[in-house]
Amino acid sequence: MSEFFFLLVAQAIFYPFGSAAGDTINAAVDDGSSSVIPLSNPFLFFGRTYQQIYVNNNGYLTFNQPSSQFVPYSFPASRSQDVIAGLWTDLDNRLRGVVSYQQYTSGNVLTRATQDINTHFSNLYLNSSWVFVATWNKVAYFNLNNTETSFQVVLISGRNFSFILMNYGDIAVTGHPVQAGYDTINSTHYFVIPGSINGSFVSNLRNSSNVNVPGQWAFRVDGGPGNSKSKNNVVGLRVRLSSFMDLTQNGSTEIVLQQIKQELVKYGLPNSIELKLRKLQKAKP
Ligand SMILES: *[C@@H]1O[C@H](CO)[C@@H](O)[C@H](O)[C@H]1NC(C)=O
Ligand SMILES: *[C@@H]1O[C@H](CO)[C@@H](O)[C@H](O)[C@H]1NC(C)=O
Ligand SMILES: *[C@@H]1O[C@H](CO)[C@@H](O)[C@H](O)[C@H]1NC(C)=O
Ligand SMILES: *[C@@H]1O[C@H](CO)[C@@H](O)[C@H](O)[C@H]1NC(C)=O
Ligand SMILES: *[C@@H]1O[C@H](CO)[C@@H](O)[C@H](O)[C@H]1NC(C)=O
Ligand SMILES: [Ca+2]
């Protein structure tokens, strides 16, 4: 029963796409890109405001110029460009599949984006005024003619905020290097979706989430006061651990802290968080 439910949810996470939705379709060119897409509303990305974007066939978005790079670099890379990567890898839409995009300033898609954001970030009460949907539908990997990989990157913005949704459908296993998440200029902000650095495990994207919706990841990316401050805020966390390791032994706490960190990062906290142990008490066995 619950598996059936999750399958339905996974299919329902995609926003409308393709020619049926009126999308503009990228040319079928290996390592190609869209033309420059002027944005009808500016998009705020960690303090920089962009008026244009490119949808690159190899699975990612760039703002200042198109990119034909088919081997992703690992985030954080401290490069000189902002990148939003649904799944940056060597895709090839000559072999199979469609890469397309569209922006919206009214209608059902806007309503849905507003609902999604207010569900995932429940204390904000925001109204979306602009949505950009880029879709890679059933696209093959380069040299792997029979593969089909489907995912979406949705940008959502309103008066003073911006968000990204990543939606994952069926993702074929690949030997090509992969990377999903985002990375900013100089890597002041970045996020790597767990499991997206090894093509053997990349199919798990369909089931993973930081917002409790299998296949969907959501990030706030305006970098405004609300979220840049949280970078340095002390976040309270109280956990109760049962461990058979003696945590007072050298090194043991480090292992446990790393495991807790991995869990928190899955829920959307930045990789840069540092956990420190305040107090440790050894209970009598
Ligand atoms: C969002 O828009 C609706 C309808 O226009 C309006 O009633 C509501 O007050 C707006 N909310 C915010 C937070 O601006
Ligand atoms: C947007 O601006 C309004 C008014 O300045 C403020 O009340 C609100 O908290 C802001 N929203 C965010 C998400 O920063
Ligand atoms: C990135 O780092 C370089 C070298 O430190 C610096 O010159 C540049 O201003 C930084 N760029 C931004 C946007 O912070
Ligand atoms: C990916 O995982 C497979 C299976 O565990 C492993 O053999 C391979 O070395 C890994 N590749 C990378 C790049 O980590
Ligand atoms: C995703 O979850 C479903 C349902 O539990 C399972 O059948 C499927 O194998 C999982 N897929 C991956 C790629 O883990
Ligand atoms: Ca390619």
Side-chain angles (χ1 to χ4, degrees):
M1 184 61 200
S2 61
E3 279 188 20
F4 180 61
F5 173 71
F6 278 132
L7 266 178
L8 280 180
V9 170
Q11 280 168 7
I13 58 178
F14 273 61
Y15 280 48
F17 64 89
S19 41
D23 281 10
T24 303
I25 294 177
N26 277 13
V29 174
D30 184 33
D31 305 336
S33 295
S34 66
S35 326
V36 60
I37 305 163
L39 303 183
S40 47
N41 272 35
F43 186 70
L44 179 60
F45 190 64
F46 295 109
R48 280 175 289 279
T49 301
Y50 289 106
Q51 313 276 354
Q52 61 174 51
I53 201 163
Y54 294 86
V55 175
N56 303 300
N57 288 352
N58 287 325
Y60 58 107
L61 309 176
T62 47
F63 295 98
N64 290 331
Q65 60 270 312
S67 174
S68 59
Q69 263 190 281
F70 52 90
V71 178
Y73 46 74
S74 300
F75 307 158
S78 290
R79 300 290 177 107
S80 56
Q81 67 177 355
D82 288 326
V83 179
I84 300 172
L87 187 64
W88 183 357
T89 188
D90 199 354
L91 292 157
D92 191 346
N93 63 341
R94 292 172 313 178
L95 301 177
R96 197 183 277 252
V98 173
V99 181
S100 67
Y101 62 86
Q102 183 169 183
Q103 50 190 326
Y104 301 86
T105 51
S106 64
N108 293 340
V109 170
L110 222 58
T111 311
R112 178 169 170 185
T114 299
Q115 280 167 359
D116 279 350
I117 292 311
N118 288 305
T119 304
H120 298 332
F121 302 85
S122 53
N123 53 343
L124 292 175
Y125 306 107
L126 302 167
N127 274 342
S128 311
S129 52
W130 176 83
V131 179
F132 181 86
V133 181
T135 307
W136 288 257
N137 184 39
K138 298 186 174 172
V139 182
Y141 297 124
F142 178 78
N143 238 342
L144 298 168
N145 299 34
N146 295 323
T147 55
E148 283 186 358
T149 285
S150 300
F151 59 93
Q152 264 186 341
V153 178
V154 180
L155 311 184
I156 300 169
S157 71
R159 200 165 54 81
N160 51 0
F161 64 88
S162 49
F163 291 87
I164 309 175
L165 297 180
M166 314 270 202
N167 293 326
Y168 296 97
D170 286 332
I171 309 287
V173 166
T174 175
H176 296 308
V178 294
Q179 189 82 171
Y182 59 82
D183 194 20
T184 61
I185 297 176
N186 290 350
S187 296
T188 52
H189 299 78
Y190 65 93
F191 189 88
V192 180
I193 296 184
S196 74
I197 50 173
N198 186 326
S200 306
F201 302 121
V202 81
S203 300
N204 291 330
L205 287 173
R206 193 200 167 107
N207 284 357
S208 68
S209 178
N210 64 342
V211 289
N212 217 15
V213 177
Q216 187 167 72
W217 287 75
F219 307 99
R220 187 171 179 193
V221 296
D222 45 76
N227 88 340
S228 63
K229 237 192 282 158
S230 69
K231 211 180 145 198
N232 298 317
N233 270 358
V234 177
V235 178
L237 174 73
R238 180 185 285 192
V239 287
R240 176 177 289 203
L241 290 173
S242 309
S243 173
F244 292 109
M245 284 195 291
D246 181 352
L247 295 180
T248 61
Q249 292 291 311
N250 265 353
S252 297
T253 50
E254 202 43 46
I255 294 169
V256 172
L257 287 178
Q258 282 308 315
Q259 284 168 348
I260 296 173
K261 176 177 165 176
Q262 277 170 18
E263 285 302 310
L264 294 174
V265 166
K266 275 190 215 157
Y267 286 94
L269 270 78
N271 259 314
S272 54
I273 57 161
E274 278 179 51
L275 295 181
K276 287 187 185 137
L277 189 66
R278 273 277 174 83
K279 190 173 176 189
L280 182 67
Q281 265 181 322
K282 189 169 176 177
K284 293 252 152 47

